[in-house]
Amino acid sequence: SSFDVIYFRGNAWPVEEKDVKLALIKLQQQQSNNSNSNNQDEESSVDARMQQYEDAMQVLQQHLQNYKSKKAGPSINAKIEQLEAQWAYVKHGKLKLSMQRHESLLSSNNNTTTPEQEAHLYSVLLQDAKEICALPGNKSEEEEDEFLLQANAHVQRLRALRCNAMAKLYFANGKNNQALALWQHSSRLAFEAMEEMEACHQEDTTNDDDGEGVVLLERYLQ
């Protein structure tokens, strides 16, 4: 792909800067290399991809600073909106990769993760999910787009899972009353999250992330 256009939040955003195109191509190449890697070097490959995301965001930030320093006008404002959407596209990729890494840690270390570690990992995941909700790129300020509806559903899911992890932590420390209250609250959050995620999944059957999230919550509720 030459990355003449990127698609984000249902909109097409032309990519006109050569260094931005190059950064996006490097990201794609790194992702392709990662798909061919084995488990042994998977972690180092993820680190390399995270760095590529950082590099691309820095390139876009430099262009944004340049245009924001110019006198405002229709063409300048449109260019800033375009660059902000491209920055959000890259940031979204970085946040998703970060979340995949931490979800993988929770899945692979299910029997060895301490309550403290589990609570910390879900706190990190929840912060990443909240950052996704705050990303720019929606052209309609009057209504939520499908991207935001799904992002909010994931926030709700992670709130439930973090609350459950905190309940385990309180229980491990002998604070049974607080643990019970948190378990009850996490159960309510989980059912609400499942309803939101299933609704999003029905509207967009191509989104595999929602299906995986529902499976994780169903496993938790069992």
Side-chain angles (χ1 to χ4, degrees), residues 186-199:
S186 68
S187 181
R188 289 192 294 270
L189 290 173
F191 280 112
E192 291 171 7
M194 282 188 67
E195 289 179 354
E196 290 187 28
M197 295 184 72
E198 286 174 345

Side-chain angles (χ1 to χ4, degrees), residues 6 24 28-29 48 75 87 130 138 163-164 170 182 193 197:
I6 61 170
L24 293 173
Q28 185 186 56
Q29 290 173 342
S75 61
W87 179 89
K130 288 179 177 178
N138 183 18
C163 191
N164 179 60
Y170 275 103
L182 283 169
M197 295 184 72

Side-chain angles (χ1 to χ4, degrees), residues 42-60:
E42 184 177 348
E43 188 65 21
S44 61
S45 182
V46 170
D47 287 337
R49 287 174 65 193
M50 293 288 280
Q51 186 58 53
Q52 292 286 4
Y53 279 118
E54 282 290 342
D55 293 344
M57 288 167 59
Q58 186 174 1
V59 170
L60 283 159

Side-chain angles (χ1 to χ4, degrees), residues 20-217:
V20 174
K21 289 183 183 181
L22 180 60
L24 293 173
I25 290 171
K26 286 181 178 179
L27 262 175
Q28 185 186 56
Q29 290 173 342
Q30 189 64 52
Q31 186 171 359
S32 178
N33 293 338
N34 182 67
S35 64
N36 297 325
S37 64
N38 54 46
N39 292 333
Q40 188 173 3
D41 58 10
E42 184 177 348
E43 188 65 21
S44 61
S45 182
V46 170
D47 287 337
R49 287 174 65 193
M50 293 288 280
Q51 186 58 53
Q52 292 286 4
Y53 279 118
E54 282 290 342
D55 293 344
M57 288 167 59
Q58 186 174 1
V59 170
L60 283 159
Q61 193 62 43
Q62 289 172 348
H63 285 293
L64 272 168
Q65 289 175 353
N66 178 42
Y67 278 96
K68 286 181 178 180
S69 68
K70 297 181 179 182
K71 185 178 180 181
S75 61
I76 296 296
N77 293 342
K79 189 66 180 179
I80 290 172
E81 182 185 32
Q82 173 186 311
L83 289 167
E84 284 181 339
Q86 292 168 14
W87 179 89
Y89 168 84
V90 176
K91 177 73 171 179
H92 178 246
K94 181 189 174 188
L95 289 168
K96 291 289 288 182
L97 181 59
S98 173
M99 292 179 74
Q100 288 168 10
R101 166 185 270 177
H102 290 102
E103 294 259 24
S104 177
L105 285 172
L106 285 161
S107 299
S108 61
N109 299 327
N110 193 38
N111 296 323
T112 59
T113 305
T114 67
E116 291 84 356
Q117 290 171 332
E118 185 177 348
H120 170 71
L121 286 169
Y122 278 121
S123 293
V124 174
L125 280 162
L126 181 57
Q127 182 58 41
D128 284 346
K130 288 179 177 178
E131 285 192 46
I132 287 177
C133 288
L135 290 174
N138 183 18
K139 285 189 173 182
S140 175
E141 297 180 357
E142 296 180 356
E143 59 184 59
E144 295 179 327
D145 58 354
E146 185 63 26
F147 174 91
L148 188 57
L149 292 173
Q150 291 177 358
N152 283 330
H154 279 291
V155 167
Q156 189 78 342
R157 173 179 74 93
L158 289 164
R159 279 180 176 152
L161 291 169
R162 180 182 178 275
C163 191
N164 179 60
M166 291 299 297
K168 292 179 184 178
L169 182 57
Y170 275 103
F171 183 76
N173 290 317
K175 299 180 179 180
N176 296 349
N177 290 337
Q178 294 95 321
L180 179 59
L182 283 169
W183 267 316
Q184 291 172 339
H185 184 54
S186 68
S187 181
R188 289 192 294 270
L189 290 173
F191 280 112
E192 291 171 7
M194 282 188 67
E195 289 179 354
E196 290 187 28
M197 295 184 72
E198 286 174 345
C200 289
H201 193 55
Q202 289 170 1
E203 292 182 14
D204 182 7
T205 56
T206 64
N207 191 321
D208 293 332
D209 290 342
D210 283 341
E212 292 172 2
V214 170
V215 170
L216 283 171
L217 271 177

